[in-house]
Amino acid sequence: MSGDLSIRGLKKVFKTKDDEVVAIDDFTLDVKQGELVSLLGPSGCGKTTILRLVAGLSEPTAGEILLGGKKVSGPGADRGMIFQEFALFPWRSVRKNIEFGLEIAGIPKAERRQRSQFFLDMVGLERFADARIHELSGGMKQRVGIARALANDPEILLMDEPFGALDAQTRNIMQKELLKIMEKTEKTILFVTHSVDEAVYLSDRVVVLTKRPAHIKEIIEVPWPRPRDRAAPEVAAMRKKILRELEEENVMDN
Ligand SMILES: Nc1ncnc2c1ncn2[C@@H]1O[C@H](COP(=O)(O)OP(=O)(O)OP(=O)(O)O)[C@@H](O)[C@H]1O
Ligand SMILES: [Mg+2]
C-alpha cells in the first residue's frame, strides 16, 4: 500500500427536496505519497465535501478516488480524518480517545496501550493520558485528534481546517508540530484551510479552488525547504498572489 492519492473527474450533486446543489464538478487531483497539499477556496465551495468523499463518508455522483491504486468505496483505516470541531469523545480519557480506532479494529489491549503511548509521546500529551477532554485546551484537543488519526496508521491524513479554532500563537505551534509529525511519519496529507499564510507555510502545493462547484483555479508549487520564514519577501509575495486569486472568486460571488 502507498499513500498515493488519485482523484479523477469527481462530481458530487446534493439533492434536497426541491433543489439540486452541484458541490463539486470535474475535480481531478493527484497527491503523491508524503506530499502535503492544501485546498484553499471560498466558503461553501466544496472543500469539506472533497475530504468526506476521500474519507468514504459520502459517495461520489461521478468519478473515482484511488488510494495506493485501490478504489475508495467506503470508510477505511487507511484514511484518518481530523475534523475542525475536534470531534473527540468527551466520556473517554485522552488515551481511550486515541485507542478508539484500535478497539474497533479488534487490536488486543497490550498492543493498543503500546501504540497509544507512542502517539501520546509524539504529540507531547504523555502527562495527560488519563485526563478528560474537557480538561484540555483547544490546542491539546487537536493534538488528541491528530494522535487518534495516526494511531490507526493511515496512509493519508485528511485535515479539515484543523487549526481554525485556535488562537494565532497556538496555531503557529501546531503548524510546527505538524511539520515534525510529517517528517517522522512521512504521511500524505490533504489539508483544508482558510488561511493563506498557513497554506504557504505548510504545503508542497496549494490548490486554489473556484467558488462552487469547486474546480481547480490554479495549483501553486511552494518550492522552499521547511521550516519556512514567513517574513521572507518571496513568501510574502506568494501569499499576495494567492490572496488575489481568492479575492477574484469572492468578488464574483456578489
Ligand atoms: N449533506 C449535504 N446536503 C446538502 N447539501 C450539502 C451537504 N453537504 C454540503 N452541502 C452543500 O455543498 C456545498 C459545499 O459544502 P462544503 O461543506 O463542502 O463547503 P466548504 O468549502 O467546506 O465550506 P467552508 O469553507 O464554509 O467549510 C455547500 O453549498 C453546502 O450547502
Ligand atoms: Mg468546510
Side-chain angles (χ1 to χ4, degrees):
M1 257 314 256
S2 90
D4 285 338
L5 174 70
S6 179
I7 304 175
R8 303 259 140 250
L10 196 65
K11 178 171 185 165
K12 180 70 185 180
V13 181
F14 289 109
K15 289 198 171 62
T16 52
K17 238 190 303 162
D18 36 32
D19 203 6
E20 270 194 2
V21 176
V22 183
I24 302 162
D25 198 14
D26 197 19
F27 181 86
T28 293
L29 178 71
D30 283 300
V31 183
K32 290 196 299 289
Q33 160 69 48
E35 202 182 11
L36 192 155
V37 171
S38 289
L39 304 180
L40 262 177
S43 181
C45 79
K47 303 179 293 296
T48 296
T49 303
I50 293 170
L51 287 195
R52 287 179 52 83
L53 288 164
V54 176
L57 298 171
S58 169
E59 258 190 64
T61 307
E64 63 176 8
I65 299 167
L66 303 171
L67 182 61
K70 205 175 116 223
K71 193 170 169 180
V72 165
S73 59
D78 54 350
R79 284 147 289 146
M81 183 105 171
I82 293 157
F83 301 89
Q84 176 176 17
E85 63 289 357
F86 309 134
L88 301 172
F89 307 116
W91 60 90
R92 291 185 148 229
S93 67
V94 166
R95 183 192 301 282
K96 287 282 189 182
N97 263 276
I98 296 172
E99 290 182 4
F100 179 76
L102 305 176
E103 273 180 45
I104 300 280
I107 299 203
K109 191 168 177 188
E111 192 185 333
R112 286 203 311 257
R113 242 320 157 74
Q114 199 187 2
R115 275 216 239 170
S116 61
Q117 193 60 47
F118 180 82
F119 290 104
L120 277 164
D121 292 346
M122 183 183 284
V123 299
L125 285 177
E126 51 278 73
R127 282 182 46 230
F128 293 88
D130 300 315
R132 289 294 165 139
I133 300 306
H134 73 266
E135 297 168 319
L136 307 180
S137 70
M140 289 156 81
K141 284 180 194 163
Q142 206 46 279
R143 284 166 207 260
V144 178
I146 293 169
R148 183 178 59 180
L150 286 171
N152 301 317
D153 196 24
E155 299 291 340
I156 186 168
L157 290 177
L158 306 167
M159 305 183 79
D160 194 0
E161 301 189 48
F163 309 143
L166 306 177
D167 64 88
Q169 236 177 319
T170 310
R171 189 171 188 148
N172 284 1
I173 293 168
M174 290 302 295
Q175 290 167 357
K176 285 205 182 109
E177 292 294 320
L178 182 64
L179 291 184
K180 278 194 220 152
I181 288 169
M182 256 182 89
E183 243 172 62
K184 281 187 204 154
T185 64
E186 296 177 341
K187 298 289 180 204
T188 309
I189 302 179
L190 190 56
F191 191 98
V192 168
T193 179
H194 271 113
S195 164
V196 175
D197 172 70
E198 182 167 82
V200 172
Y201 183 74
L202 292 175
S203 312
D204 295 298
R205 287 183 294 149
V206 179
V207 177
V208 179
L209 300 171
T210 62
K211 64 178 182 168
R212 199 188 72 224
H215 58 259
I216 294 174
K217 185 175 169 78
E218 195 175 348
I219 300 183
I220 294 135
E221 299 234 3
V222 190
W224 310 296
R226 304 178 185 92
R228 294 174 181 147
D229 176 6
R230 296 173 197 272
E234 64 275 20
V235 174
M238 182 175 280
R239 281 200 300 268
K240 199 168 165 189
K241 171 181 153 64
I242 295 173
L243 270 171
R244 215 179 295 130
E245 301 220 0
L246 283 171
E247 267 162 23
E248 278 172 23
E249 289 308 305
N250 286 325
V251 168
M252 279 156 61
D253 248 338
N254 298 325

